[in-house]
Amino acid sequence: MLRFLIPFFILFPFIIQAQTSLSGKVYDESAKPLPYATVALLKPSDSTLLFFGITNEQGNFEIKRITKGTYILQVAFIGFQTYYESIVFPEKAGDYGVVVLKVKSLNLSEAEVLGEYIPITVKKDTIEYNAAAFKTKPDAVAEDLLRKLPGVEVDRAGNIKAMGEDVKNVMVDGKEFFSSDPKVATKNLPADAINKVQVYDKKSEAAELAGIDDGSRDKTINLLLKDGKKQAWLGDVTAGAGTNERYAASAKVYRFTKSNQFAVLGMLNNINRFGFSFQDYIDFNGGLPAMMGSGSMRFSISSDDELPINFGQTVNGLVTSGAGGINYSFDLKKNNRIYASYMGSGTDRNLIQKGFTRNYLATGEFTEENQNDENSRNYSHRLNLGWKDKSDTTRTLMFNGSIGLTDSREDALSFSKAIRENDFIHQLESNAKMKRSGMSASSTFSAMKKGRGIFKLYRLGMNANFSKSLSDNDRLNLSQYAGIEVLYRDHQFRNKDSRSQEIGASLGSMVKIAKGLYFEPDVSASFEKNSLNRTQGLSGEEQSPVDSLSPDFSRSLLLVNPTARIRWNFSKMRIVPGLTVQIVDNKNVLSGDEGEQTTYARVLPSFSWEWDYSTGNRLSLDYNSSLSEPTLEFLLPVVDNSNPQSLFYGNRKLKPETRHEIFANWLLFDQFSQTSVFARVGGTYIVDKIGFSRWISDSLVQRIYLLNTDNERELNGNIDFTTPLKIIGMNLHLGLNGRWTNGLSFVNDAENKTNSFSRSVLLSLDNRKKEKWDLDIGAEISFTDAKYSLQSGLNNKYITLNYFAEFNYNPNDSWHFGMNADVINYSSGSYQKSVSIPLLGAEMSYSFLRNHRGILQLESNDLLNENKGLQRTSEMNYLREVRSNIIGRYVLLSFKYRLNKAAKARGGLEIEMKKR
């Protein structure tokens, strides 16, 4: 009963308040309606936004359910003088009548408005928010400000949606900040340094230069800084200590001028917070292949977009981490800029994991128990350089380059045991010491020239990439098998040198055929050389290589891709069919043999259709096909026996995967009601899918082979719906997701067809008026149904239910209180038992000193000390449950000192009358 009463008491104050509405019309002096004018009700004391509306095509507006009180009515439109009137509700409720806006004079002398805060302005395809109209806590960052903007959503992991679409770029004064990861800016820039927030669709460089819409758009946020902040040093320094010897320290320093952008970031802590960007997460986990791997299963990944995680994921183990970065850009002249950034990070992690796995065969099943205790140290450095020259309106030149260094050490002690029908089969104890180092460099150059006559655009692109990786492994394996008392000792070393070089170029053009009809021919070519040299053998006083385990393997890959596209551009519709012929010459050589060579061509069609049938409404259909070559290690036909009970074999005859993807999308954003809908449904069909064949002996030793399987299919869809519930002053978020996959693997030469169907429902509410308090509550339930043809008796169904709540309260400019709670329930399904994990955290801060420069903060994590570090997976022919050590409960007291604050405190409207 209590769980139902709590939401009632939370919502009750909203329901009982007296509420009413205000409607009217906005015209210019010639009685012409002004669409997209903003009508706002401001708080008189500081001009922050309380209620607002936007006029429609007929100039009508309506603001519903306004609470009782005194407001400043503000009506604004670009190029017109802003209208103000002090009004009292409910006395002014109902039809306000017609507001006539006068054209703004270039020399306005009758009245000068000081500190005028127009909360929201619509400028053609750009929505602009005035940051001063949205109140935040004293130490807020850009992310906190974005949470308060109508039409902008920031989830608990920091991912941003604007007008229903994912935000791909966050700029600062129109310039990149550190990297392409939006969170570097939103999680670090102070909110009180921001003057305005612009949201718009950024077109591609080619579209901007040619003036032709190529359908390429990225939802972008541009943070415009206050003039006073551009000349001053900004930032803060934080240091804190807590229970269980926990500590955290960070420093951020910024300076922005008309032609310079400078920033320095640094941090050090042992509370499992690391780095500033998503790339740090990838590096921390050993790179993309390590993140996608599971046990002896290995996967490849082509882009960050395919990662099934986000920046808010729990970090297992105990981590001490440090990171630092510097970013600098300089405008040589207008629209001609050079920039450079460096980011370095280091982590030391102690991880203890216990796992339980159920493996099933055609004739039964067996279980594995394992424990892993590892200490890893990872260090990475990356330098990025760039140059963008758009100073000549007829051409664009761009260069980007990067150099990266990585170094890691790992000491691991692991133990595993296999059991079948309660009988011991074998066990393995391994002690491994590993060292890895790598270097990478990449560069791209592109030049675009605006054409004449029917030739609208010329494009040239060049790229070069190089990478090198060295690893030294020393591993001692102690194996024991049922019925054999002898303990097998295998002490081996394995050193590996991997290298990759690639160079490529492309040429393209855009030719006008008729009005709105264009032909786009392109051709690209690239040459890639990969090599792997492995030396493996017995370790001792002197290393003794084994020739059969020490391959020298290389591959050369030549690709030529001629492409042709037709583009039809209509006023609200775009249609683009295309065709690429990928010609491939592929040769791999093993230890000096004659090599395996294949030459082939694949026809890869594409199609896209997009219809903007009204403002904020879009339908689209996209089909794409692509070819994916297997990695060099997948091709290597020499056994990997680092684990003597799980042997891995590559296959040099593997065919590339051909992937076909088709998706239909519907986007709706009603800026008048602030309702958004994003729906997506589609599927993937993979020809010659690279899969696995597992052969498991009577002693449960596994041999894993790679092969091309029959085609794999996947269907997925999702709906995200957001709308305000004005009657209770809340925003409603509803998310529906579904995914079905059909794949094939082999176990002891028996086909194992896998069907997996997962779906989830997310429902959450957050309050619309975030002046003093902010509440986000919700729940997500997910269902997983996995079926296996090999043993239908082990088909798996389980449910995961997650309740969450986050509450923040700012009674005044000095105090802040916050609390967050998560309860995760895992059903047992085919696992051993169900699990419930309640997580609770809280924080409190007090700001003091002049301009609130000093902030004292007390925060706690996992107050109930219930986090179990649980992970469950169901794939191929096994179910796995892993429990990891986790940071657990701690309390941290920290002090933050802010280097600078806004020159003038925010206040109400100040209108100064002047005579002509």
Side-chain angles (χ1 to χ4, degrees):
M1 176 65 70
L2 182 60
R3 79 172 82 175
F4 298 106
L5 289 176
I6 290 176
F8 174 78
F9 286 118
I10 292 174
L11 301 177
F12 182 73
F14 292 96
I15 299 174
I16 64 173
Q17 291 186 72
Q19 298 177 328
T20 186
S21 62
L22 178 72
S23 61
K25 304 176 186 295
V26 180
Y27 291 166
D28 63 11
E29 292 177 287
S30 62
K32 182 180 179 181
L34 293 177
Y36 307 113
T38 57
V39 183
L41 295 179
L42 309 179
K43 185 178 180 181
S45 60
D46 58 10
S47 300
T48 53
L49 178 68
L50 298 177
F51 300 92
F52 87 101
I54 299 176
T55 58
N56 61 16
E57 297 288 344
Q58 292 73 43
N60 300 327
F61 71 88
E62 183 177 14
I63 305 175
K64 296 181 179 180
R65 297 179 179 89
I66 304 168
T67 55
K68 181 180 180 180
T70 300
Y71 305 93
I72 294 177
L73 172 65
Q74 178 195 72
V75 183
F77 191 78
I78 296 297
F80 289 79
Q81 298 180 29
T82 304
Y83 174 87
Y84 293 98
E85 184 184 352
S86 178
I87 58 176
V88 179
F89 270 77
E91 286 82 349
K92 281 286 186 178
D95 186 3
Y96 185 81
V98 177
V99 176
V100 178
L101 297 185
K102 298 179 180 180
V103 176
K104 183 180 291 185
S105 172
L106 293 178
N107 296 309
L108 181 64
S109 58
E110 292 183 356
E112 181 178 328
V113 181
L114 305 179
E116 179 181 65
Y117 303 136
I118 301 175
I120 302 173
T121 305
V122 180
K123 300 178 178 179
K124 294 184 179 180
D125 58 349
T126 299
I127 297 179
E128 185 175 273
Y129 302 88
N130 192 327
F134 304 91
K135 193 172 183 180
T136 57
K137 61 182 181 178
D139 64 333
V141 293
E143 181 180 281
D144 301 313
L145 172 63
L146 295 177
R147 292 179 190 274
K148 297 179 179 294
L149 305 183
V152 179
E153 302 174 52
V154 183
D155 68 17
R156 304 171 74 208
N159 303 304
I160 309 167
K161 279 183 179 290
M163 286 74 229
E165 296 182 87
D166 292 326
V167 171
K168 301 295 182 64
N169 305 300
V170 173
M171 320 285 280
V172 178
D173 279 343
K175 304 170 185 176
E176 294 87 354
F177 184 76
F178 265 100
S179 69
S180 59
D181 186 349
K183 296 170 189 170
V184 179
T186 59
K187 289 182 175 292
N188 291 283
L189 276 178
D192 70 353
I194 298 170
N195 180 28
K196 294 182 179 180
V197 177
Q198 295 177 333
V199 179
Y200 60 95
D201 288 323
K202 187 179 186 301
K203 296 181 180 179
S204 67
E205 298 289 345
E208 291 180 355
L209 182 63
I212 298 170
D213 189 355
D214 61 2
S216 176
R217 290 186 296 269
D218 289 332
K219 187 64 71 176
T220 299
I221 287 179
N222 185 28
L223 305 175
L224 297 176
L225 301 180
K226 298 175 181 176
D227 289 338
K229 294 293 186 178
K230 295 179 182 180
Q231 304 298 326
W233 289 95
L234 308 175
D236 57 66
V237 179
T238 305
T243 59
N244 300 325
E245 300 181 345
R246 302 295 173 206
Y247 62 85
S250 67
K252 307 169 188 175
V253 179
Y254 314 93
R255 183 174 174 83
F256 302 92
T257 68
K258 185 177 181 180
S259 58
N260 290 273
Q261 182 190 86
F262 176 78
V264 176
L265 307 176
M267 53 82 72
L268 179 67
N269 69 76
N270 65 352
I271 57 174
N272 287 18
R273 296 176 186 170
F274 51 92
F276 306 103
S277 71
F278 190 77
Q279 184 62 44
D280 292 319
Y281 193 100
I282 297 173
D283 294 339
F284 174 79
N285 285 276
L288 295 174
M291 293 177 67
M292 298 300 291
S294 178
S296 57
M297 302 299 108
R298 301 163 188 218
F299 298 86
S300 64
I301 189 168
S302 60
S303 70
D304 292 0
D305 294 337
E306 297 178 43
L307 290 170
I309 59 176
N310 59 39
F311 199 58
Q313 195 176 22
T314 300
V315 179
N316 293 322
L318 304 179
V319 183
T320 299
S321 61
I326 182 170
N327 180 74
Y328 177 73
S329 71
F330 175 70
D331 291 337
L332 299 170
K333 57 182 178 179
K334 186 178 180 180
N335 294 324
N336 189 344
R337 184 167 61 95
I338 57 173
Y339 47 92
S341 67
Y342 162 79
M343 293 195 73
S345 64
T347 60
D348 189 326
R349 177 170 71 165
N350 177 256
L351 177 65
I352 301 173
Q353 289 185 322
K354 293 183 178 181
F356 176 83
T357 306
R358 293 178 66 185
N359 298 268
Y360 44 92
L361 313 172
T363 57
E365 67 173 285
F366 68 94
T367 61
E368 290 179 291
E369 299 175 4
N370 58 74
Q371 180 170 334
N372 185 49
D373 186 348
E374 69 178 51
N375 181 261
S376 60
R377 296 163 296 283
N378 299 274
Y379 306 93
S380 68
H381 307 269
R382 180 162 294 278
L383 175 66
N384 295 289
L385 303 169
W387 170 56
K388 181 183 290 187
D389 182 7
K390 300 174 66 176
S391 57
D392 186 337
T393 57
T394 66
R395 56 115 173 105
T396 297
L397 303 174
M398 291 186 294
F399 169 80
N400 287 284
S402 68
I403 299 175
L405 298 173
T406 60
D407 185 76
S408 61
R409 302 286 189 272
E410 183 177 307
D411 297 330
L413 179 63
S414 61
F415 176 82
S416 64
K417 180 168 64 174
I419 300 171
R420 182 170 53 199
E421 297 178 354
N422 296 322
D423 293 329
F424 166 78
I425 303 300
H426 67 67
Q427 70 179 35
L428 172 67
E429 181 179 338
S430 295
N431 191 343
K433 297 181 182 296
M434 292 164 277
K435 295 187 294 182
R436 295 184 294 268
S437 62
M439 181 186 74
S440 63
S442 65
S443 63
T444 61
F445 172 78
S446 66
M448 290 179 287
K449 176 69 175 177
K450 193 172 183 178
R452 294 181 179 179
I454 64 171
F455 291 93
K456 295 299 180 183
L457 185 71
Y458 303 97
R459 290 187 293 260
L460 168 68
M462 293 184 290
N463 68 281
N465 302 287
F466 171 79
S467 65
K468 178 179 180 179
S469 174
L470 300 174
S471 65
D472 298 330
N473 302 320
D474 185 89
R475 188 182 187 100
L476 174 61
N477 295 316
L478 300 175
S479 305
Q480 187 174 4
Y481 298 88
I484 303 175
E485 295 185 0
V486 177
L487 191 67
Y488 290 92
R489 175 187 172 92
D490 174 26
H491 192 185
Q492 60 179 263
F493 74 93
R494 184 174 59 170
N495 303 329
K496 186 170 67 173
D497 182 350
S498 300
R499 302 179 187 224
S500 177
Q501 304 96 33
E502 180 186 6
I503 187 168
S506 64
L507 285 170
S509 181
M510 181 181 291
V511 182
K512 184 177 182 180
I513 301 174
K515 183 178 180 181
L517 181 60
Y518 303 90
F519 173 61
E520 297 181 27
D522 286 279
V523 62
S524 65
S526 65
F527 178 77
E528 184 178 346
K529 179 69 178 291
N530 303 307
S531 63
L532 185 156
N533 182 274
R534 190 172 79 194
T535 305
Q536 183 174 341
L538 300 178
S539 185
E541 293 183 3
E542 294 186 3
Q543 294 183 343
S544 302
V546 177
D547 291 342
S548 61
L549 298 175
S550 304
D552 187 355
F553 191 53
S554 65
R555 176 181 63 176
S556 58
L557 192 64
L558 175 64
L559 295 95
V560 179
N561 300 305
T563 301
R565 284 183 294 268
I566 298 292
R567 182 178 303 279
W568 280 291
N569 283 352
F570 303 93
S571 60
K572 294 186 177 182
M573 186 183 299
R574 286 163 293 278
I575 302 174
V576 186
L579 189 69
T580 298
V581 178
Q582 185 156 321
I583 304 168
V584 181
D585 184 82
N586 189 343
K587 183 177 182 179
N588 62 70
V589 178
L590 177 63
S591 301
D593 66 11
E594 293 183 357
E596 293 276 348
Q597 184 167 7
T598 56
T599 301
Y600 54 89
R602 295 285 190 274
V603 178
L604 305 173
S606 64
F607 177 81
S608 68
W609 168 79
E610 190 175 89
W611 179 30
D612 296 317
Y613 59 92
S614 64
T615 303
N617 295 265
R618 182 184 306 151
L619 284 170
S620 64
L621 178 68
D622 294 285
Y623 163 73
N624 187 58
S625 55
S626 61
L627 201 65
S628 177
E629 292 285 342
T631 65
L632 191 64
E633 290 200 357
F634 277 18
L635 295 171
L636 180 64
V638 180
V639 63
D640 180 348
N641 65 348
S642 55
N643 181 345
Q645 293 172 2
S646 181
L647 309 177
F648 180 84
Y649 297 83
N651 181 357
R652 68 190 301 188
K653 296 183 180 295
L654 283 176
K655 301 176 184 177
E657 294 179 345
T658 304
R659 177 182 294 264
H660 300 269
E661 296 178 303
I662 185 168
F663 287 95
N665 304 283
W666 176 44
L667 170 69
L668 178 149
F669 177 71
D670 186 344
Q671 58 189 359
F672 305 110
S673 66
Q674 297 297 302
T675 295
S676 67
V677 180
F678 180 77
R680 178 181 175 91
V681 62
T684 302
Y685 182 71
I686 303 176
V687 180
D688 294 324
K689 171 68 177 178
I690 296 176
F692 299 89
S693 176
R694 303 177 77 191
W695 183 267
I696 303 174
S697 69
D698 292 338
S699 59
L700 301 185
V701 173
Q702 302 182 46
R703 297 197 302 273
I704 303 165
Y705 300 90
L706 289 175
L707 75 168
N708 291 105
T709 66
D710 286 344
N711 307 329
E712 181 175 282
R713 304 163 184 84
E714 177 182 320
L715 297 175
N716 58 69
N718 65 281
I719 298 175
D720 291 311
F721 173 73
T722 302
T723 192
L725 301 178
K726 295 183 179 180
I727 191 171
I728 58 173
M730 305 288 280
N731 293 314
L732 169 71
H733 308 271
L734 176 65
L736 305 174
N737 290 273
R739 180 172 180 260
W740 173 82
T741 59
N742 170 255
L744 175 67
S745 62
F746 295 86
V747 180
N748 289 2
D749 287 338
E751 284 191 357
N752 177 39
K753 294 182 179 179
T754 304
N755 284 280
S756 177
F757 181 37
S758 61
R759 55 271 193 209
S760 65
V761 179
L762 169 66
L763 179 66
S764 68
L765 292 167
D766 68 273
N767 60 304
R768 303 184 66 228
K769 187 179 175 182
K770 302 177 185 291
E771 183 182 355
K772 286 193 174 183
W773 63 277
D774 190 354
L775 174 67
D776 186 1
I777 58 174
E780 181 176 15
I781 184 170
S782 62
F783 306 85
T784 299
D785 185 357
K787 296 181 179 180
Y788 312 92
S789 65
L790 198 62
Q791 271 213 26
S792 59
L794 288 174
N795 290 347
N796 185 34
K797 294 182 180 181
Y798 58 94
I799 299 173
T800 303
L801 180 60
N802 176 211
Y803 304 97
F804 58 87
E806 185 172 344
F807 176 76
N808 291 281
Y809 178 57
N810 302 296
N812 52 49
D813 289 342
S814 297
W815 286 97
H816 167 72
F817 301 91
M819 179 171 289
N820 60 82
D822 284 89
V823 180
I824 306 173
N825 294 304
Y826 298 97
S827 67
S828 58
S830 299
Y831 295 96
Q832 291 178 314
K833 61 180 181 179
S834 59
V835 178
S836 180
I837 304 175
L839 304 175
L840 183 66
E843 67 176 22
M844 176 179 66
S845 66
Y846 174 70
S847 60
F848 58 103
L849 302 180
R850 184 179 179 182
N851 288 329
H852 298 283
R853 287 192 176 184
I855 300 172
L856 197 63
Q857 178 171 295
L858 183 68
E859 63 176 302
S860 62
N861 177 74
D862 191 12
L863 280 171
L864 303 178
N865 206 31
E866 288 288 334
N867 200 343
K868 297 178 173 61
L870 178 67
Q871 292 176 309
R872 285 178 168 176
T873 56
S874 172
E875 57 189 28
M876 295 186 65
N877 68 320
Y878 63 84
L879 307 174
R880 175 174 294 157
E881 178 177 284
V882 177
R883 293 173 183 263
S884 308
N885 62 328
I886 206 78
I887 190 170
R889 177 170 54 202
Y890 68 83
V891 178
L892 189 76
L893 178 65
S894 60
F895 172 71
K896 176 188 289 187
Y897 182 76
R898 308 172 70 203
L899 302 181
N900 190 276
K901 198 180 181 330
K904 183 176 180 179
R906 178 166 54 205
L909 284 176
E910 185 179 338
I911 302 177
E912 179 181 335
M913 302 301 296
K914 291 185 177 180
K915 296 182 179 180
R916 291 183 182 271

